[in-house]
Amino acid sequence: MYYLAHKMLTGCSAMREHPWALFFGIILAGCQGIITPGATHITQEEEVIIHPPTPAPGEPIIPVTAVPQPLRRLTHQQWLGAVHYTLQLPDIPDFDLRNFPSDQEDNFLFGNDPQALGVSPALFDTYRSRASAIADYIVSSAAHISSIINSNTITEATVQAAITTLGRRAYRRPLRDAEVTSFMNLYGTGMNNPGEDLSPEQSGLLLVVRALFESPYFLYLAIPEGDTEGPTKLDAHTLATRLSYFLWNEPPDATLRNAADTDQLRESAELDTQTSRMMADPRFQSVIYNFHNTALGGLGAFSTQAPDLYESAKNERLYFISDAVENDLSWKDILTSPHTFVNSTLAEIYGITGDFSENNFKKVLLPATERKGTLTHISFLGGVPHRPVPRGVWLSRMIGCNFIGSAVNADPVPASEPGESRRDIWEAYTEVEGSTCIACHRTKINSFGFAFESYDERGQHRTNYGPDFSDSPVNTIVQNILLDGQLHSAANAMELADQLAEAKSTHECYAKHLAEFALGRPETSLDEGLIQNLRLLSAEGRPIRELIRYIIQSNSFRIHQLDPEHKDI
Amino acid sequence: MNHSRRFFLRGVGGIALGLPFLEGLSPKHVYAQSIPKSPFAIFLRQANGPASKHFGFGVYKQHNEEKFWPKPSPNIFNNDFNLLEGFSARLTNKDYDSLGDNECTVQGRVFELLDAYLDQLMLISGVEYPIYPGEAGCGHGGNVVQALTGSWRRDPHSRCGTQLPRSESLDYLLQRTFAKEEDHLYLMAGKKNYLGECMSYGTNGIDLTAFVNPLVAYEQVVSAGGGMDGGSSGLNEEVRTRLLRREESINDFLKAQFDSLLRNAALSQDDRRRLLEHQERIRSIELEITNPSYACSDDPQRRALLEAHTPAGLSSPGLVIDGDLVLETARHHIDIAILAVLCGRNRAVTLQIDDGNAGTTRYSRPDGSWMENYHFVSHRVATHSSIITSDDNAMYWDHHEVDKHLARTYKYLLDGLREAGIEDDGIAVWFSEMGHGPFHAGHDIPYIVSGSLGGQLKTGHFVQLPQAYKHKQRYNGDARGVPPNHRLVLNTLGAALGLKEDDQVTPLRTFGDSGDPSNSDKPAGYLPELLGPTPLGADT
């Protein structure tokens, strides 16, 4: 009930400041339960589990709205996972997944923007041919048939039971009676029109399996059901699917299915219980690593490094993020943590002595005078471009979500003169007073990059630039870091990490990334309330798992609402 | 793995019997002066533009020597030369000192590798995108959508890399006009990283999926049922009837599910669009099932050749793509493209080499070593995020080596068309969406065209188009007053290939879509500089 009190204070003031909120069908439980203009779906008052801090005085409170939840086609990897999950047979082949037409790439940071996941003619053909292959795989083996129908005899009764079981897994919800009937009609058609070298029963079963895997209910995830355009609270099975693909990138397991079957999952407490359970599962580690790896810029720049360094850096990030999340650290902690994980390769670069091997990673303290936080990890420093300006651009974009355009029509970078450091050259090149370059470079790019000049392209610490730059000393002092509209200074990357960890823009950016990842699409203006609350939680140092629990509890996750202007997102 | 082209195309004549393209198998003279009845176009795309300094454009004119475009004779190009006038020079491989007036030489230039084809080539320089420059940072994303569509992006506010064009690409228009739309063949050699496949677009500019794996593409080409059971035409009537009933029942089942889904009021317009497109595929399949048509026949030996190939982009999850492998995959795709046009299945094929910027492809130098990835090389930089260039002459020479790789690949295409006897039945176009030099400019877009289409297109010439901003009277009709933009090139090629305006009489002249309601940026018509002696779009 704290939630209601909280919303009494915040939600109603939001209404005063944003009268348009009603237009969006905003859910303001504290004011009068849940307001759903034109809809009767949402009337239940929810007990809210996590309470975001109140914004600073003067900052408007933006309500967390229901948002559009687009139809999402399975990615190819998810398709294979769903096939395995549905059939639950040992030694299932991958049905030539490698030769699926590639998904359209998009510019969405986390990939797989629903709008890019269409079904091209080639993909349709692939789905159809693979559905045939799956069906052939089933009916060509008596053992497979027995496993699927849970009997040694194919009868209408055993087939119907199989349809119910397989359909529930494939559609990620129980089949409706009419759907079972449709499948049985298909079975009958197959019986009456058998294929060559197949019995009527096999032919019937073959059609059923094909249809199951060509069905849009199999190929598209979490389709929200609704008979109006107003806000619609997700049904329990859609919510379970959404939750499971967010936290595990897999279909719901039996426990989650059961919670959906009883409809308990729609209760906040049960949803939170399931969330916590799933976050304790190893499958969550992989997902949360992928999120952070992307949010930190990936490991792409290791393409020019030795392959074993790439593998070591990947594991450093994997172990570090997993450990941080498991120990309930926050984004702020990650940016300032004194720890990392190393094997012998990384230990050598870090200059850490001890008993290390290539394959075992150990949690260690970073050299305190040289490093602090994940931005000083080899995985970050070697994973993104190493020259100061590109590195600065990367930091500014990924950590601060600053928009940095590309330079155009620039003259070539001059060669270094004796005694000139790399920083000197780039500074002179990009910070010419009166030039168009200086506006972005000085405050949004160079200061970020120069502070990290004490690390080379492998992420090794250095104090001078080496012979290419006359052994000139590295200077990491920066005085024009633009954070939250104010200029800051820092002596080095460690001080900058501290400042980033305290900056509102850093947490705003992290919140945006997390919201986009959870919602599976680029942000829209309707996400402002969610992002604001995530930012407040993050800035307060709340654990990452708590932020995730908050998202899952939020209206944005649990309620579907078409864009009020009917724009496509 | 190298393979024999002759082996790959073996037997094609046999399977083409009875198909409209039969006449294409008879020996052809290179300069046949009758317009082919079933012309085709194969587009070969290079990322990042060529390494060219051109004739005085760009900040790089003070560096490097020209290695791409031919060198014109002194009467054309001297110290007083003004590119605004343009020129047309006969292609030769002569010593520079022995060039006659209005000739040029390919000696020392990339096109030296295409010496055997100079008589049928037209090298087009000086083309500009109508809307340039794009927004800062949108160079690749902004240019790729225009290249074959002549269209600006659908949503001017869309983010870099997410753009889609407003209308279809020329290859798609050709295919849907003259052959089966659903058989559109879009091939890609390389890994679908940045921007993925980005050259070919369907009706209203929808994005299309390219085949990365030549084997999969081959299976599509030789499959009558478009992925079905290999076609049903050889079955006896009873078996065929049962098969049809089974297929119809599945299609009816799926259509009913789609109908039910589409009644869901909670779907957005975009959700509906994607579902409808998906549902449309079922309808296409229904048509094919009930009307099985042709098939390029499967050949076990051809198939085995492709099965032995590990396609670029699928070879490993690694961060680096071997450029040699990309080119090998491209050669396989070229064979399939020729097969597809030869057996009448396709009237247009697009082969995209590399993704948006080839940022993970590392091509090889003559000594076998790897250069940096092609995107770095083309910009002369060491990061993807910067287009600030370094004065790296070595990378210019690497870029030139990439151009040579592409020239050899294009030659492989021309060799194949010649071997199949169809080199003048269609055109083969080597192009890039980028202009010369490290800035990936939207001007000087290169088009290398092989084939005259019965004399409609000029051949054997290097055509430097006039930079006609100040020459408002040069073009007839409503093309007047604009620079020679690529939409005019696409209209010229499209008209020569037999495409018409909506009246089905007027040769194509308004292809493309600027999205400008005033239409002021939508020039129509042709480039007279590209035309041969046969009237464009003449009926035969």
Side-chain angles (χ1 to χ4, degrees), chain A residues 70-71 98-99 101-108 113-115 117-122 124-125 128-129 171 182-183 186 189 193-196 207 210-211 214-217 219-220 223-229 299-300 302-304 310 385 387 390 394 397 405-413 426 429 441 522 560 562 566 568, chain B residues 59-60 63 136-137 159-162 182 192-193 195-197 207-213 215-216 220 226-229 235 239 242 245-247 249-251 253-254 257-258 260-261 264-271 273-275 277-278 281-282 285 289 310-311 314 319-320 362 372 382-383 385-391 439:
Chain A
L71 187 72
R98 204 184 70 152
N99 283 331
S102 293
D103 281 331
Q104 174 78 20
E105 294 287 333
D106 54 57
N107 202 38
F108 177 39
D113 186 345
Q115 291 191 35
L117 292 177
V119 176
S120 65
F124 177 82
D125 290 344
R128 180 155 280 211
S129 66
Y171 290 9
S182 296
F183 273 112
L186 208 51
T189 303
N193 297 278
E196 291 179 290
L207 275 198
R210 269 189 60 186
E214 287 190 51
S215 165
Y217 292 108
L219 296 172
Y220 293 91
I223 300 166
E225 297 274 350
D227 54 9
T228 79
E229 296 172 355
L299 299 162
F302 280 108
S303 63
T304 57
Y310 165 76
R387 291 185 183 179
W394 215 270
R397 281 179 178 161
S406 296
V408 291
N409 293 335
D411 292 327
V413 180
W426 284 90
Y429 181 64
H441 273 276
H560 172 68
L562 281 181
H566 255 256
D568 289 332
Chain B
V59 297
Y60 277 74
H63 307 299
R159 296 170 303 164
C160 294
T162 62
E182 58 271 24
K192 294 182 181 179
N193 288 314
L195 297 180
E197 61 267 77
D207 49 323
L208 302 173
T209 303
F211 293 105
V212 171
N213 187 345
L215 177 61
V216 178
Q220 294 292 317
M228 291 276 303
D229 303 323
L235 304 175
V239 173
R242 289 204 304 263
R245 284 191 186 139
R246 291 202 302 270
E247 295 304 318
S249 68
I250 286 218
N251 290 336
F253 175 92
L254 295 174
Q257 289 198 331
F258 275 100
S260 171
L261 257 176
N264 184 348
L267 295 175
S268 72
Q269 291 172 9
D270 186 68
D271 294 338
R273 178 185 60 78
R274 283 180 287 127
L275 282 176
E277 285 176 3
H278 190 163
R281 314 293 183 217
I282 299 172
I285 284 285
I289 291 170
T310 303
L314 299 177
L319 299 164
V320 175
R362 297 182 72 169
E372 248 305 350
T383 72
S385 58
S386 172
I387 63 165
I388 298 171
T389 53
S390 61
D391 185 13
F439 293 131

Side-chain angles (χ1 to χ4, degrees), chain B residues 262-419:
Chain B
L262 286 162
R263 285 195 292 272
N264 184 348
L267 295 175
S268 72
Q269 291 172 9
D270 186 68
D271 294 338
R272 288 178 197 286
R273 178 185 60 78
R274 283 180 287 127
L275 282 176
L276 285 167
E277 285 176 3
H278 190 163
Q279 190 182 31
E280 180 63 21
R281 314 293 183 217
I282 299 172
R283 210 175 61 81
S284 299
I285 284 285
E286 285 180 312
L287 291 174
E288 289 192 7
I289 291 170
T290 52
N291 184 27
S293 52
Y294 55 81
C296 305
S297 71
D298 193 3
D299 181 321
Q301 288 176 285
R302 277 202 299 258
R303 179 181 286 274
L305 200 63
L306 295 170
E307 286 173 344
H309 171 66
T310 303
L314 299 177
S315 55
S316 76
L319 299 164
V320 175
I321 307 299
D322 180 347
D324 289 342
L325 184 59
V326 170
L327 297 170
E328 185 184 331
T329 299
R331 290 193 293 273
H332 281 294
H333 277 318
I334 285 171
D335 288 343
I336 293 164
I338 294 172
L339 183 68
V341 297
L342 196 51
C343 69
R345 180 186 188 271
N346 286 85
R347 294 286 291 273
V349 183
T350 293
L351 168 55
Q352 175 182 327
I353 299 184
D354 286 317
D355 63 7
N357 64 5
T360 51
T361 305
R362 297 182 72 169
Y363 287 105
S364 60
R365 300 189 182 93
D367 65 4
S369 64
W370 269 3
M371 55 184 80
E372 248 305 350
N373 75 66
Y374 180 28
H375 188 228
F376 287 7
V377 167
S378 66
H379 275 307
R380 330 279 192 258
V381 296
T383 72
H384 290 299
S385 58
S386 172
I387 63 165
I388 298 171
T389 53
S390 61
D391 185 13
D392 191 340
N393 208 36
M395 279 191 163
Y396 174 81
W397 290 102
D398 281 348
H399 194 167
H400 173 56
E401 288 300 327
V402 177
D403 289 345
K404 287 163 70 174
H405 281 307
L406 268 295
R408 290 186 201 99
T409 306
Y410 183 58
K411 180 174 183 297
Y412 185 84
L413 170 59
L414 301 186
D415 288 345
L417 294 173
R418 178 170 285 183
E419 191 172 327

Side-chain angles (χ1 to χ4, degrees), chain B residues 29-36 39-42 91 117-124 410 413-414 417-418 422-430 448-461 492-493 496-497 530-533 536:
Chain B
H29 295 293
V30 172
Y31 296 110
Q33 290 301 306
S34 60
I35 299 175
F40 62 86
I42 298 177
L91 287 165
Y117 294 97
L118 293 184
D119 283 347
Q120 68 185 61
L121 290 179
M122 173 165 57
L123 280 47
I124 308 169
Y410 183 58
L413 170 59
L414 301 186
L417 294 173
R418 178 170 285 183
I422 55 173
E423 62 188 330
D424 207 43
D425 287 331
I427 55 172
V429 184
W430 170 21
I448 314 303
V449 182
S450 170
S452 73
L453 292 173
Q456 297 178 94
L457 299 175
K458 182 178 285 185
T459 50
H461 279 80
T492 306
L493 298 181
L497 287 159
L530 310 185
L531 300 181
L536 191 65

Side-chain angles (χ1 to χ4, degrees), chain A residues 316 335 337 350 366 370-381 452 455 459 493-494 497:
Chain A
E316 177 191 36
L335 293 175
S337 166
Y350 278 123
L366 293 162
E370 297 176 358
R371 300 176 193 261
K372 184 178 193 182
T374 197
L375 300 181
T376 66
H377 288 174
I378 290 168
S379 49
F380 179 80
L381 297 164
F452 283 79
Y455 311 102
M494 293 182 292

